[in-house]
Amino acid sequence: MRNTARIIAVTTALAAATAPLLALSSPALAERSAKTVQSVQNLPLDWLSLQGLTETAHLQRIKQLLGKGYVPSALSVTNAANPEYTSVWVKDATRKVNVLQDLSVTDLPKRVTEQQKLGFQPTLITGTGTGAGAVFAAVFEKTTRKLQSRTDLTKDTLATVNTQLSAAGYTIASLDVYGTAEKPLYAAVWAAGAVAGTVQVTTGQTVEQRGKELLARAKQGLSPIAMAVEPGKLYSTVWGKVGSTGLKEYLQLSRVTYKLKSIELKGLGYHPTMVNVEDNVYAAIWSKN
C-alpha cells in the first residue's frame, strides 16, 4: 500500500501562506529557497516548463509557482516505481487550482469526490504503471464548467464513453495512457463545448503511423487537441479543429532533447501547449498563440 501521507493538495492561497514558513525553517533552507524563488522570478512571465522532476522536487516547485500566480496547463507522470513529473505552467492568477500527486489507484476516486465537494473539478488526470502499483496525479480547478472524468478505460470502453459524452455535447480535453503495452488503460477528462465540431480519437499508433495520421488530419483541417504516449512507445491522439496557428510537433524526444527543443522554440516565439511522457519518451506540441 502506498503512503497516502505523501499525497499533495496545494491551493494558491495555501502555497502563498506556507512558502515563507518553509523558507524560514533553517538558515540553510532559507538560502536555498530564496535562490529557487529568485530563479522563478527570472523566468518568463507567461509560461515555464519543468521536466523529469522527482516527487519532492516537483512539490517544491508547485508551492512556489502556485504562490506566484501560475497554474499547470500540462502535467505528466511516468515511472511508477520512482515517479518523475513533467509539467507546463502558465501565468493566470485568476484561477484557483489544486494539484494532487502520488495518488494510488484507490486514492484517486476518493480525492476526486473530496475535491468535487469543495467545488473543484478534475481538469487533467495523468497516470503511469499498472494494477495496485499505478501512480496518478491530477489538476483540479474551481470552475463552473461542466466536466466529466473517467479512468481505467480500455480502448473499447474509451470509444463507447466518448461516443456517449460526445452526443451530450462533451469533447475530450485531456487524455493520458497508463497500464502496459499489452493492456493500455486510458484516463480522460471531457468538457462541455470545449471544441467546436466532432472530435476523433486514434490509439495505439507507432511513430510512423502517427506521422502519416498528422498529415492526413491536417488536410481535413484537424489538429491534435490532446495527445499521450502509451506504454510501448505508441501514441494516442484526439483530433479536432483548434484556433492555434503555427503548431510544431515533436515525438520521441528524450528529457534532454525536450529541454533543448523548448529553448530553441522559445527563441522563435513558441510555447508548449501539450507535453506527455511515458517510458522515458517525451512528446510535445508547441504553438505561437
Side-chain angles (χ1 to χ4, degrees):
M1 181 179 295
R2 298 186 63 82
N3 182 3
T4 55
R6 297 165 60 202
I7 297 168
I8 299 105
V10 185
T11 65
T12 303
L14 178 60
T18 58
L21 297 178
L22 291 172
L24 295 176
S25 59
S26 72
L29 181 57
E31 181 179 357
R32 289 197 300 271
S33 298
K35 289 180 179 179
T36 306
V37 169
Q38 182 62 38
S39 69
V40 172
Q41 291 172 336
N42 292 336
L43 287 167
L45 294 178
D46 51 351
W47 67 271
L48 63 133
S49 178
L50 310 172
Q51 57 275 335
L53 297 187
T54 65
E55 175 197 345
T56 301
H58 196 244
L59 170 60
Q60 182 181 25
R61 299 306 295 271
I62 287 173
K63 292 178 177 178
Q64 294 165 353
L65 293 170
L66 288 177
K68 290 183 173 294
Y70 286 87
V71 295
S73 61
L75 175 64
S76 184
V77 61
T78 189
N79 188 13
N82 188 21
E84 296 180 356
Y85 293 87
T86 294
S87 54
V88 177
W89 297 76
V90 296
K91 187 80 169 180
D92 190 344
T94 65
R95 293 163 58 189
K96 191 172 183 181
V97 169
N98 289 347
V99 180
L100 285 76
Q101 64 182 43
D102 194 41
L103 302 174
S104 71
V105 68
T106 55
D107 291 329
L108 181 61
K110 295 177 183 178
R111 305 309 171 201
V112 170
T113 299
E114 291 174 357
Q115 291 295 307
Q116 288 176 332
K117 290 180 179 178
L118 297 172
F120 289 83
Q121 299 290 332
T123 57
L124 191 158
I125 299 174
T126 176
T128 188
T130 187
V135 177
F136 298 89
V139 177
F140 295 82
E141 184 171 351
K142 199 157 195 178
T143 177
T144 57
R145 295 174 63 198
K146 294 182 179 180
L147 300 167
Q148 298 276 350
S149 63
R150 300 284 191 278
T151 58
D152 203 34
L153 299 171
T154 65
K155 179 179 178 179
D156 290 340
T157 54
L158 172 67
T160 299
V161 172
N162 186 51
T163 299
Q164 295 170 344
L165 289 177
S166 295
Y170 289 82
T171 54
I172 297 179
S174 168
L175 181 70
D176 198 21
V177 191
Y178 56 105
T180 64
E182 295 74 24
K183 187 181 178 181
L185 297 172
Y186 300 81
V189 177
W190 286 260
V195 176
T198 302
V199 302
Q200 301 173 43
V201 183
T202 55
T203 60
Q205 293 187 316
T206 64
V207 67
E208 291 81 7
Q209 291 170 331
R210 178 58 173 69
K212 294 177 181 178
E213 191 77 42
L214 178 65
L215 295 175
R217 298 289 178 174
K219 293 178 180 179
Q220 302 170 22
L222 302 177
S223 301
I225 60 174
M227 177 177 65
V229 183
E230 298 186 19
K233 301 180 181 179
L234 302 175
Y235 297 86
S236 287
T237 312
V238 182
W239 306 90
K241 293 184 179 294
V242 295
S244 298
T245 58
L247 296 179
K248 289 187 177 293
E249 175 184 277
Y250 293 89
L251 310 178
Q252 289 190 309
L253 297 173
S254 67
R255 183 192 307 177
V256 172
T257 53
Y258 168 72
K259 183 175 182 179
L260 292 174
K261 188 60 65 175
S262 292
I263 295 172
E264 174 191 341
L265 292 175
K266 174 189 170 186
L268 298 174
Y270 288 85
H271 65 278
T273 56
M274 297 176 223
V275 181
N276 195 265
V277 190
E278 188 63 48
D279 294 340
N280 297 315
V281 175
Y282 285 67
I285 294 177
W286 284 263
S287 172
K288 271 199 171 182
N289 62 3

